[in-house]
Amino acid sequence: MTFFSFAFPILMKKPMSPIVNNLLIVFCSSAGFSWGAGSSAYQTEGAWNVDGKGISIWDAFSHKKGKIFLNDTADSSCEGYYKFKDDIALMKDMKLNHYRFSISWPRILPTGLKSEKINEKGIKYYSDLINMLLDNKITPIVTLYHWDLPQVLHEKYGGWHNISMVNYFNDFANLCFERFGNRVKYWITFNNPWSIAVEGYETGEHAPGLKLKGTGAYKAAHHIIKAHAKVRHTYDMQWRSKQKGLVGISLTADWGEPVDISNQRDIEAAERYIQFYLGWFATPLFHGDYPQVMKDYIGRKSGQQGLGASRLPVFSPQEKSYIKGTCDFLGLGHFTTRYVTLKNYPSGAGDNYFSDRDLAELVDPQWPDPGSEWLYSVPWGFRRLLNFVKTQYGNPMIYVTENGVSEKMLCTDLCDDWRMKYFKDYINEMLKAIKDGVNVKGYTAWSLLDSFEWDEGFSERFGLYYVDFRNKNKPRYPKASVHYYKRIISSNGFPNQREVESWKRKAVETCSSSNQLLAADPLIGHMEMVTEIVVPTVCTLCILISAVFFMFLLRRRL
Ligand code: NOJ
């Protein structure tokens, strides 16, 4: 994905401020802190058209040529649908406290509508997964929408562009509460609505691929916010007293740092960057309306375009009070940071979400950039973002729902020292934020497995476990970061710096043997091909030739 259309490199000095220091703070997180790993249905399950599952917008989108890198699809992906027991064994070995996964809406409601058909096989799959997690003392954190809308709802109504999604999504969520809510206590309504809105309805890089510049994202986001609020009210009215769970949302945001911290225009540009990113969703959910700066900028630019109303939709007073205060916890996904400076975009020249912000994004070429082109490792931004959430939204309970780093496809090296460093530094900044008083209750490494990385296909690997996608059994191999993360979990943070270094050495030693296994894998794959395809084909041919020969002999005799 390309988050930074306006980014260009610049050499910067790291900013200094009282809350940032580069020392490793040596302390553990609080008791009861939850360590986990995450995944999502479309990215890992595979089994895209079996056992009664309906088609999602991602199935349809990825099957269109030219949409995904190398035209990859997640038709089989990690085969997580069939291998969830193996995956739980991996989680158990790592001693994860929680596992974050998502439910595929079309797997349990093939046409999207509860009134039309409930697919009991899909329900059983998630029910078995939840039971087995609980049997292994792993808490399920369940996302209801990680981007895989039933295709029928897109074709009939235009997906999130249509207000009718609010009720359909509520029916789907209600069914999940009914069937799984006796066992699931942590619900996330939406994963990263920014991406759904901007990449799905504005730039078209993601499914459903609409390019409705300047309006598409705002409209989709408006309906998503209303849908979240409705689901949370449904939970309150029908399930909370019995099930006693929590309902939150997972918002993803980069941190935006002013290029020049003594320049008021840069400070304001960085503030706009965060407000258009995180604030767009968090401010309505915590305070009842869009950030003032979004209303001002989009309203002014819409006026300059000659439009009678703002392109940013408006909440009525009733809607404001209905959506305000609808998060029991905030899920936060965070990967990277940008420097931000003012850049004016004159109105009229193709207004869109990005130009509405009047800013430019910059990166420091010295920031490590091991995998995805947008993902630079900038750990100090994480602490700043967490502190921003604390002060802006009244110190809510936070679960970090995604944090991690990728590597490029061709890299089959399991000794991922850059990922260990990324985890060490980012977790360390999170621990500092906890010390600052930020109410972080859990951390989710993204992701458990290498998986389908949306429009980048399988070319970017975020997994703790390497998945060999060339082999139809999709074997998993631990990267060094598995061993490292395991130590972090068992010590509930970092007990002391010397130990951290020795974990790293040990992890690297272990990964060399896994590397050898992986190196042998193409051979295994080749042998499988020989036994499963070549041998039967040759045998069939032999039988056919013998039969023809036999017939020929018979004819000559007659
Ligand atoms: C956010 C998305 O929620 C997740 O699905 C994706 O894999 C990561 N970012 C990395 O791009």
Side-chain angles (χ1 to χ4, degrees):
M1 55 172 94
T2 354
F3 283 176
F4 62 112
S5 330
F6 305 104
F8 55 91
I10 186 174
L11 193 63
M12 292 296 310
K13 272 217 309 234
K14 209 176 259 182
M16 289 307 292
S17 99
I19 68 157
V20 172
N21 66 62
N22 296 317
L23 297 175
L24 181 76
I25 291 190
V26 178
F27 79 107
C28 304
S29 56
S30 47
F33 191 85
S34 191
W35 297 95
S39 73
S40 83
Y42 184 70
Q43 289 180 279
T44 53
E45 281 176 5
W48 72 290
N49 61 353
V50 305
D51 287 349
K53 177 182 168 292
I55 303 302
S56 79
I57 52 172
W58 270 95
D59 292 313
F61 188 70
S62 64
H63 283 129
K64 284 191 195 144
K65 291 274 167 287
K67 300 291 182 193
I68 311 291
F69 183 69
L70 296 179
N71 292 318
D72 281 334
T73 73
D75 290 0
S76 60
S77 190
C78 309
E79 300 281 23
Y81 185 72
Y82 302 104
K83 294 180 77 107
F84 74 92
K85 291 186 180 148
D86 300 349
D87 290 338
I88 292 176
L90 303 180
M91 296 176 214
K92 196 178 173 194
D93 177 62
M94 286 167 78
K95 301 214 168 43
L96 294 190
N97 304 120
H98 70 259
Y99 177 52
R100 177 184 175 216
F101 66 92
S102 77
I103 294 181
S104 157
W105 182 349
R107 193 177 290 290
I108 66 172
L109 295 176
T111 63
L113 302 192
K114 191 178 167 194
S115 54
E116 287 181 355
K117 181 173 168 46
I118 297 175
N119 179 26
E120 291 299 336
K121 284 191 178 160
I123 299 268
K124 182 173 180 327
Y125 165 68
Y126 293 110
S127 204
D128 290 349
L129 169 63
I130 292 164
N131 287 344
M132 190 158 178
L133 285 169
L134 293 172
D135 288 348
N136 287 283
K137 304 203 170 15
I138 300 167
T139 304
I141 297 188
V142 179
T143 309
L144 291 166
Y145 189 85
H146 203 126
W147 306 357
D148 44 359
L149 185 81
Q151 172 69 6
V152 186
L153 296 184
H154 172 65
E155 284 170 9
K156 274 199 191 159
Y157 306 101
W160 290 107
H161 234 221
N162 192 307
I163 186 73
S164 61
M165 285 315 101
V166 175
N167 284 339
Y168 296 142
F169 180 66
N170 184 57
D171 289 346
F172 159 63
N174 207 2
L175 175 67
C176 293
F177 297 150
E178 181 192 328
R179 298 300 189 93
F180 312 123
N182 57 342
R183 290 156 292 157
V184 173
K185 303 300 161 194
Y186 294 87
W187 292 102
I188 291 170
T189 52
F190 289 91
N191 176 71
N192 193 352
W194 182 92
S195 198
I196 304 169
V198 173
E199 296 179 299
Y201 294 84
E202 172 100 15
T203 66
E205 291 160 281
H206 281 189
L210 300 184
K211 295 181 182 155
L212 306 164
K213 295 228 161 69
T215 55
Y218 298 133
K219 203 167 169 188
H222 201 65
H223 297 148
I224 289 170
I225 293 166
K226 287 186 182 182
H228 163 86
K230 177 143 195 169
V231 166
R232 156 65 198 260
H233 284 291
T234 298
Y235 192 77
D236 286 351
M237 285 180 313
Q238 299 190 32
W239 306 104
R240 187 179 292 277
S241 60
K242 266 180 276 172
Q243 300 184 346
K244 302 194 170 42
L246 300 174
V247 178
I249 191 167
S250 176
L251 304 180
T252 300
D254 300 347
W255 176 246
E257 183 72 19
V259 164
D260 177 354
I261 51 169
S262 61
N263 179 335
Q264 189 56 26
R265 293 192 313 180
D266 282 1
I267 294 172
E268 285 168 14
E271 172 77 15
R272 282 200 299 284
Y273 178 80
I274 311 271
Q275 294 296 357
F276 269 75
Y277 211 147
L278 181 71
W280 183 6
F281 301 92
T283 317
L285 299 178
F286 287 96
H287 300 308
D289 201 0
Y290 290 118
Q292 192 57 44
V293 74
M294 285 188 80
K295 294 198 282 187
D296 291 347
Y297 270 67
I298 304 163
R300 178 171 51 80
K301 288 185 179 239
S302 305
Q304 287 165 355
Q305 274 179 276
L307 300 173
S310 175
R311 286 180 278 106
L312 183 70
V314 175
F315 291 117
S316 70
Q318 292 82 349
E319 287 169 343
K320 286 181 191 171
S321 50
Y322 187 75
I323 58 180
K324 183 177 171 177
T326 50
C327 283
D328 295 320
F329 65 92
L330 178 66
L332 195 63
H334 174 71
F335 294 86
T336 194
T337 283
R338 292 286 179 268
Y339 282 113
V340 182
T341 189
L342 169 76
K343 179 174 178 182
N344 283 312
Y345 285 89
S347 186
D351 295 73
N352 61 62
Y353 163 84
F354 294 99
S355 62
D356 281 343
R357 306 174 306 168
D358 272 352
L359 57 86
E361 300 174 35
L362 315 164
V363 296
D364 180 342
Q366 289 179 355
W367 288 341
D369 174 24
S372 311
E373 105 185 273
W374 53 271
L375 207 172
Y376 295 82
S377 174
V378 193
W380 52 262
F382 194 17
R383 183 181 182 187
R384 291 182 170 223
L385 180 69
L386 287 164
N387 273 281
F388 177 89
V389 169
K390 174 183 166 229
T391 48
Q392 291 269 321
Y393 311 118
N395 204 10
M397 186 199 292
I398 298 175
Y399 279 83
V400 174
T401 39
E402 287 186 20
N403 178 242
V405 67
S406 55
E407 70 249 14
K408 288 282 180 204
M409 164 176 64
L410 294 174
C411 179
T412 47
D413 187 359
L414 301 175
C415 302
D416 53 348
D417 48 341
W418 68 92
R419 183 173 284 104
M420 290 191 277
K421 180 153 176 44
Y422 181 98
F423 280 136
K424 182 184 96 178
D425 294 344
Y426 271 76
I427 290 173
N428 194 37
E429 292 298 319
M430 175 189 72
L431 297 178
K432 289 181 199 172
I434 295 174
K435 225 181 173 192
D436 298 334
V438 184
N439 190 13
V440 187
K441 295 288 188 197
Y443 174 88
T444 313
W446 190 265
S447 46
L448 179 71
L449 306 174
D450 288 340
S451 62
F452 181 84
E453 184 53 27
W454 309 110
D455 52 325
E456 303 297 343
F458 294 100
S459 67
E460 292 175 11
R461 295 173 173 271
F462 276 85
L464 289 160
Y465 281 87
Y466 180 94
V467 177
D468 187 354
F469 295 107
R470 299 160 307 174
N471 183 324
K472 84 174 184 14
N473 292 323
K474 313 293 168 92
R476 284 82 159 120
Y477 297 91
K479 300 179 191 173
S481 48
V482 167
H483 306 289
Y484 192 67
Y485 189 44
K486 207 167 147 175
R487 302 277 188 152
I488 294 177
I489 296 172
S490 65
S491 67
N492 195 23
F494 305 106
N496 72 62
Q497 183 152 15
R498 273 178 54 209
E499 264 201 68
V500 176
E501 286 312 312
S502 92
W503 297 347
K504 211 168 157 184
R505 270 197 310 277
K506 284 188 191 139
V508 170
E509 276 161 31
T510 331
C511 67
S512 323
S513 50
S514 311
N515 258 343
Q516 283 167 14
L517 273 174
L518 179 60
D521 193 54
L523 196 64
I524 296 167
H526 181 73
M527 280 158 57
E528 265 173 11
M529 195 179 85
V530 170
T531 48
E532 288 174 19
I533 302 172
V534 180
V535 172
T537 316
V538 171
C539 289
T540 318
L541 275 176
C542 287
I543 294 168
L544 277 175
I545 292 169
S546 320
V548 172
F549 188 62
F550 182 70
M551 296 275 281
F552 173 75
L553 282 181
L554 214 62
R555 280 189 146 202
R556 283 195 57 165
R557 277 205 164 181
L558 291 174

